Amino acid sequence: MNTPRIEVTVAAPVDAVWAALRDKDQIRHWHGWEYEGLEAEIDLIFFTAYTESTDDHTLEIQGGDRFELSPVEGGTRITLTRAPHSDNAEWEAYYDDITEGWITFVHQFKFALERHPGEARRTLFYAGTSESALAAPVDGEPGTSYEVELLGEVLRGRVWFRSEHQLGLTVDAWGDGLLILSHVPPSEAKPDGSSMAVLTFYAVDPAPTDARWTPYWMKGVEQR
């Protein structure tokens, strides 16, 4: 079975990207989202049962996920090769979810390093089974400007990335923030599918946005 590879190019030198991958204070600026267990999650994933080479800029972490950094024109290519599939059915059930999570985090990594190096962020996270919020609200390739009304707020910015199941949008009004929407369609393992949104803010209070988004995700209604 093929092992997924996730690649992004960051407009920063290899040493700067490596530091952001190995420094806990910098990891919290891009990995996951704010919640009570984030520090423990970072410790477990990045600093427990790992191997690294500072000379080759490679890092293999829990379960065999492998980062490789390579200098390329315009910056550094990050290649994340997922761990091999497992015979453990319980672990394997989450394999695709973890892959989608890494797609989100690697693009957050690129965004933080290129647009807000060293800046603290605020984040909101929502998850559910409703497809409605993830019906990609914006067309266009990365770099394309957009304007869309989403849950009572007019958002403007540019398409940051697009993958099979995810859409990333920069959001001017969130302090040059980032919105990532994900929807994985129904399958035998997940009859209702799964949806997720990660909202990132810089020097902007996320409370008003949370007040609009929380009721929507709690209801899972078919509206936008």
Side-chain angles (χ1 to χ4, degrees):
M1 189 175 294
N2 292 333
T3 301
R5 287 162 57 101
I6 303 162
E7 291 187 352
V8 299
T9 297
V10 180
V14 171
D15 287 346
V17 178
W18 180 251
L21 182 61
R22 300 309 295 140
D23 182 272
K24 189 180 300 183
D25 288 337
Q26 295 194 55
I27 292 173
R28 67 166 63 91
H29 291 164
W30 58 266
H31 178 79
W33 46 84
E34 293 177 288
Y35 81 107
E36 190 174 334
L38 179 60
E39 295 295 320
E41 179 179 318
I42 290 172
D43 282 336
L44 176 65
I45 293 176
F46 292 96
F47 299 100
T48 305
Y50 68 93
T51 59
E52 67 177 350
S53 169
T54 54
D55 292 334
D56 296 335
H57 297 109
T58 60
L59 170 69
E60 188 165 308
I61 55 177
Q62 294 246 344
D65 291 329
R66 179 180 173 85
F67 286 88
E68 298 177 75
L69 308 186
S70 307
V72 295
E73 184 176 355
T76 300
R77 178 182 297 121
I78 302 173
T79 302
L80 171 55
T81 304
R82 285 295 332 276
H85 287 271
S86 169
D87 294 332
N88 184 323
E90 184 176 351
W91 174 256
E92 190 65 15
Y94 294 98
Y95 191 93
D96 291 343
D97 291 341
I98 295 171
T99 299
E100 289 299 319
W102 277 125
I103 292 171
T104 300
F105 302 158
V106 167
H107 283 281
Q108 289 182 167
F109 188 177
K110 172 182 168 71
F111 185 80
L113 207 53
E114 289 187 356
R115 307 281 283 257
H116 298 277
E119 290 187 45
R121 60 176 181 169
R122 296 295 311 277
T123 61
L124 299 173
F125 170 75
Y126 308 94
T129 57
S130 171
E131 184 178 359
S132 56
L134 286 307
V138 171
D139 295 324
E141 297 301 313
T144 305
S145 60
Y146 77 91
E147 177 178 315
V148 63
E149 182 174 353
L150 198 62
L151 297 177
E153 182 178 7
V154 177
L155 305 181
R156 299 180 182 86
R158 293 186 180 275
V159 176
W160 183 247
F161 77 96
R162 188 184 296 277
S163 69
E164 181 180 3
H165 300 303
Q166 297 192 35
L167 173 67
L169 302 172
T170 69
V171 181
D172 297 345
W174 298 350
D176 184 31
L178 183 66
L179 167 63
I180 296 181
L181 300 170
S182 169
H183 175 69
V184 177
S187 64
E188 184 176 348
K190 291 186 176 182
D192 296 324
S194 62
S195 298
M196 179 198 75
V198 184
L199 290 61
T200 300
F201 303 78
Y202 293 91
V204 171
D205 182 2
T209 301
D210 189 34
R212 290 190 300 272
W213 281 60
T214 293
Y216 175 79
W217 281 84
M218 291 185 68
K219 287 190 300 184
V221 294
E222 297 296 326
Q223 63 181 21
R224 183 169 74 226

